[in-house]
């Protein structure tokens, strides 16, 4: 596909760098999944393309990658409904950042999965939007496993009641749970807690693990890992 070929040696160098990073991550994932908490499948690698320049995203597409994650609805629309819109039907898109209720319909229209369901008000907006446009993304509930006051997500002790309420009153496809462990703690206890909460609630999917800890997450049963900087290089702009 000429559309995804590099223009000149500078772009070729970026394409080579991205392709090599992707292979290295896939190999590390395969190594970690030899002992992955009883799962038979290898985790899905979500390439987190937030704040990346189009050339790096183009290189990732040229390397064959088709699963991407974004933090913001507007930036995601720019990337995937604009710059690379002709590939949309081949792609799987995940929203991994916080979602405001007034963006629920746009998010439902663009994303295949939303990882950050954290309140009933948002569930209500998503259910209404899904009904209106006839398309519902798979939902992950975000759990604040470290009980950090500044972080979104349900507290672990709130989860069971929330799931029960969702199942009773909201017509939404629930896939699993997501967490973002505190930055200066070992991630393993958080991943183990997330898995326990998912099992207790009959949920199979676990969105956990980023650039620094995806191998640990896979060993502890992650179904989806969200990797940005290790795949694309460091993000350039402030977030
Ligand atoms: C940015 C982001 C990631 C990716 O982080 P890296 O450390 O660059 O891999 C994963 N998950 C969430 C929720 C993020 O916001």
């Amino acid at each position: 596909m000429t559309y995804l070929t590099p223009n000149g040696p500078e772009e070729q160098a970026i394409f080579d760098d991205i392709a090599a990073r992707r292979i290295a991550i896939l190999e590390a994932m395969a190594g970690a999944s030899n002992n992955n908490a009883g799962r038979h499948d290898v985790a899905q690698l979500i390439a987190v393309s937030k704040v990346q320049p189009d050339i790096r995203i183009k290189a990732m597409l040229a390397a064959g990658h088709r699963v991407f994650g974004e933090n913001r609805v507007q930036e995601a629309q720019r990337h995937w409904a604009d710059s690379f819109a002709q590939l949309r039907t081949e792609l799987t898109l995940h929203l991994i950042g916080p979602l405001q209720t007034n963006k629920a319909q746009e998010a439902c229209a663009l994303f295949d999965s939303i990882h950050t369901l954290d309140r009933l008000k948002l569930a209500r907006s998503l259910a209404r939007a899904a009904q209106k446009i006839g398309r519902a993304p798979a939902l992950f509930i975000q759990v604040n496993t470290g009980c950090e006051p500044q972080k979104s997500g349900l507290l672990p002790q709130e989860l069971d009641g929330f799931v029960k309420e969702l199942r009773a009153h909201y017509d939404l496809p629930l896939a699993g749970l997501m967490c973002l462990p505190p930055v200066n703690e070992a991630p393993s206890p958080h991943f183990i807690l997330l898995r326990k909460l998912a099992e207790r609630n009959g949920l199979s999917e676990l969105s956990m693990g980023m650039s620094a800890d995806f191998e640990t997450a896979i060993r502890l049963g992650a179904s989806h890992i969200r990797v940005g900087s290790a795949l694309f290089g460091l993000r350039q702009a402030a977030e």
Side-chain angles (χ1 to χ4, degrees), residues 48 50 71 96-97 116 142 178-180 209-212 226-231 233 235 239:
V48 178
K50 65 181 181 195
N71 249 35
I96 63 169
T116 49
Q142 184 172 353
M178 176 272 217
C179 76
L180 258 168
M210 322 200 323
S211 288
R226 312 176 307 265
V227 180
S229 40
L231 267 175
R235 288 181 285 277
E239 279 164 44

Side-chain angles (χ1 to χ4, degrees), residues 163-184:
V163 171
K164 208 175 276 177
E165 179 76 11
L166 278 181
R167 286 189 168 136
H169 300 295
Y170 296 81
D171 185 20
L172 288 168
L174 261 191
L177 304 180
M178 176 272 217
C179 76
L180 258 168
V183 282
N184 39 25

Side-chain angles (χ1 to χ4, degrees), residues 11 15-16 27 35 45 47 97-98 121 125 141 143 148 156 163 167 171 202 205 207 209 213:
E11 286 199 7
F15 275 51
D16 292 346
E27 283 175 358
N35 176 17
L45 172 59
K121 184 164 181 252
S125 301
I141 300 167
V143 183
E148 296 172 279
V163 171
R167 286 189 168 136
D171 185 20
E205 308 299 290
S207 168
D213 54 20

